[in-house]
Structure formats: structure tokens, C-alpha cells
Amino acid sequence: MMLHAGHSLAIVGVTAVCTILIRAFPFLVFGGRKEVPGAVRYLGAVLPASIMAVLVVYCMRNMDFMAISHFAPSLAAGILVVGLHVWKKNILLSIGAGTVCYMMLVQMVFV
Amino acid sequence: MEEVQNGKGYIGFAFRQSVPVMLGYIFLGIAFGLLLQDAGYSFVWAFFISVIVYAGSMQFIMVSLMTGGAGLLYTAVMTFFINGRHIFYGLSFVEKYKKMGKACPYMVFSLTDETYSVLCGTKVPEGMKEDKVFFWISLFDHSYWVAGSVLGAVAGSYITIDTTGIDFSMTALFLVIVVEQWQEQRSHFAAITGAICGIIWLLLLGPDRFILPALCSCVVILLAVRGSVAGRTTKQKEEVAG
């Protein structure tokens, strides 16, 4: 139930402002300078690879190795994505096939 | 080349790059719209929230904050907790975005997980300006999210196909980017650091709290090896080490 439109609006506002502040933080700190510090430039070059690896772990965070239905679909579909991508290098194919495989596994095999 | 010059080429190229996000964002957006609709908020709210907040998982949590009448300070703390990881995206794009002038504020605002990863994986073709390509990709992604949210709030209950598991498209997108980065870079130190930090912190703190410490430790470790061989990737690294 929608309780108070005004309070809901305030919650939306606070969330929006905080999210923008978080995203803008590095720019507010380093963006104003003429020269971006060397350490930040270095991080700009190497950090993306780390971040993407952490994000993959983030996506798989709810895998539970105690129950096969809680890890097999992600693992199988994940291997398919990586394998297809190394082989064909086609982003849409890798993502499409991996997602369809995952959906079939969770909907039909490991229900 | 002609296509590139009249601007059409940019939109087409950016659109193709954004397609992997389209599926995920539209269906995730629909799920959000549905949830909001169930909580008693109309599609106007869905539109408005997705335009100005534009943060996937936080928007889902926000619905429960709204229905529960959560305090504003609590809301702020939750937001910093859940979206804190976005600081690191900006950190690696400071130099790039600074040069973008008028578009810069929008680029900073729209830097979500998925947009960040697509931008990381985009190789801008010869003759195109990176700025423009990045801008269009960001705008496409944002519009998918808004379109999905409104669709979910208006018509979500009529969707009958079972979309369970469609959220895997995000995982797949991230995996593809990891593979591409891996193949491009001479040193895999950064990627391996990320994976190991992620797994260790996940085991230590559990699924809800691990991501910020994991990202922080990556930054600390990468800074510690700066200048050594492990810290170098392929391009433009020579100047950095000095």
C-alpha cells in the first residue's frame, strides 16, 4: 500500500541525490584539477579488469555448492558463455545462448 | 565514412553496442515496474523514479523503503551501502569524462554497472569520436531502463511467458567483458586480483556485504604493485609507471 505520497517522494529524492553523489565523487575530488594524479590515471588503466572480475563474483554470489540446483545452472551457463566467446567472439551470441541455456536449466531441469 | 559524418553511424554503432544491455534492462525494468505497481504506485512513479534514480538493485530496495515508510537517514545509508561500488567506476573514467564538457554531468549520472561494463568493452572504430559513442550508449541504456519500468507498471501483469532466469543476461555480459579484457591484456594481474579479492571477501562477509571491501582491497593491491611488471597492462602504460 502506498502510505504517504510526500514521504515516498522524499525517499525517492534522497536515493537519487545519494546515488548521484556516489557516482560524482571521484569527479568532484579529482576532476577539478588540471592534471589528473598519476595514481588515478594508473587506476583508470588497470582497475576495470579487477572491477569486472569482482562483478562476476557479485553475480554468482548466491551460488550454493551444497545443493546442485543452486550452482549447476550458473556454472554450466557461465562456462558456455566463456567458451562460446573465446570461440566465436560474438557478444550477442555468447550472451543470448548463455541466457537461454540458464533459463532452460532453471525452468526445466533444476526446478 | 559518410555514415559516420552525418551522425547516423554513431547512433547505429552505439545501438549495437547497447543491445546486450537492452534485454536485461527491459526485463529488469518490467520487474521493477510490476513491483511498484503492486505496492500501489502508478506508472508515473515508475517513469519518474527510473529517470532520476536509475540504479537497478537500489530501486528494488527503495520500493520496500517506500511502503515501509523508512526514515530518510536510513534511506541515505542504505543507498551509500548498496551503490557505493559506483565510486570505483568513476575512478577509472575520471580522465575520459573530464574531457567531455557539457555531456560530462549526464555521463557521470548514468554510470551504472551495465553501462560501465559496456563502455569498458567498446572499441571505438577508426574515424568515430569516443565521446559521442559513449554518450549514445549511455542514453540508450538509460532509455531501456525507463521503458522497461513503465511497461512493467502499465502492462506487466499481462506478460505470461516465464522470464525466470532472464537476469542471467547481466552475468553473461560481465563474463564476456572479462574474456575480452583478458585477451587484450598482457598482464592478468588485475583480473586475477579482482577474482581472488571477490571470492575471499564473499567467503568472509557473505553475499550482502562483500563487494565494497573487495573493491577497496583491489585498489590497495593495485596501487601497491604500481610500477612493477604486474601493474602493467598493454596500452598507454609506459607513462603511467613513471
Side-chain angles (χ1 to χ4, degrees), chain A residues 13-84:
Chain A
V14 167
T15 311
V17 169
C18 292
T19 305
I20 292 170
L21 282 179
I22 292 164
R23 289 180 185 155
F25 182 77
F27 298 89
L28 297 176
V29 175
F30 301 112
R33 305 188 193 176
K34 263 215 174 96
E35 270 293 296
V36 175
V40 175
R41 292 171 66 185
Y42 161 75
L43 284 178
V46 294
L47 196 56
S50 296
I51 292 180
M52 293 314 303
V54 174
L55 281 179
V56 169
V57 177
Y58 181 72
C59 287
M60 307 263 184
R61 68 192 182 280
N62 291 320
M63 272 165 98
D64 177 3
F65 286 95
M66 292 299 133
I68 186 161
S69 63
H70 286 144
F71 74 86
S74 312
L75 200 64
I79 291 170
L80 178 70
V81 170
V82 172
L84 264 181

Side-chain angles (χ1 to χ4, degrees), chain B residues 109-147:
Chain B
F109 158 76
S110 60
L111 200 51
T112 60
D113 301 291
E114 289 77 15
T115 299
Y116 175 76
S117 18
V118 169
L119 296 183
C120 277
T122 298
K123 285 161 217 71
V124 179
E126 200 102 10
M128 281 198 186
K129 284 196 196 123
E130 193 178 50
D131 294 15
K132 271 195 172 176
V133 172
F134 276 27
F135 173 77
W136 282 108
I137 292 175
S138 302
L139 194 63
F140 272 123
D141 287 355
H142 194 183
S143 50
Y144 301 144
W145 180 246
V146 175

Side-chain angles (χ1 to χ4, degrees), chain A residues 1-3 5 7-12 14-16 18-20 22-27 30-31 33-34 36 38-62 74 77-78 81-82 85-86 89 91-92 94-95 98-99 102-103 106-107, chain B residues 19-20 39-41 45 48 52 54-55 58 62 65 67 69-70 72 75-76 79-80 83 86-92 94-95 97-98 108-109 111-112 116-117 162 164-165 168-169 171 173-176 178-181 183 185 190-191 194-195 198 207 210-211 222 225-226 231 237 239-240:
Chain A
M1 259 309 290
M2 180 165 150
L3 296 173
H7 190 70
S8 295
L9 210 57
I11 289 178
V12 174
V14 167
T15 311
C18 292
T19 305
I20 292 170
I22 292 164
R23 289 180 185 155
F25 182 77
F27 298 89
F30 301 112
R33 305 188 193 176
K34 263 215 174 96
V36 175
V40 175
R41 292 171 66 185
Y42 161 75
L43 284 178
V46 294
L47 196 56
S50 296
I51 292 180
M52 293 314 303
V54 174
L55 281 179
V56 169
V57 177
Y58 181 72
C59 287
M60 307 263 184
R61 68 192 182 280
N62 291 320
S74 312
V81 170
V82 172
H85 202 68
V86 170
K89 291 197 195 308
I91 296 185
L92 289 184
S94 314
I95 294 177
T99 307
Y102 181 82
M103 289 173 74
V106 292
Q107 289 180 19
Chain B
V19 168
Y41 298 85
W45 283 85
F48 174 65
I52 72 159
Y54 189 29
M58 187 57 212
M62 203 178 68
L65 296 178
T67 50
L72 296 183
T75 304
T79 309
F80 280 110
N83 286 341
H86 290 171
I87 283 183
F88 297 90
Y89 306 160
L91 197 55
S92 53
V94 170
E95 243 197 325
Y97 279 12
K98 238 184 79 174
V108 173
F109 158 76
L111 200 51
T112 60
Y116 175 76
S117 18
D162 187 353
T164 311
F168 188 81
S169 58
T171 311
L173 171 66
F174 295 157
L175 276 171
V176 163
V178 166
V179 171
E180 297 212 328
Q181 287 177 339
Q183 290 174 336
Q185 290 170 344
F210 84 97
I211 193 156
L222 288 173
V225 300
R226 184 184 170 201
K237 300 306 110 65
E239 41 175 336
V240 166

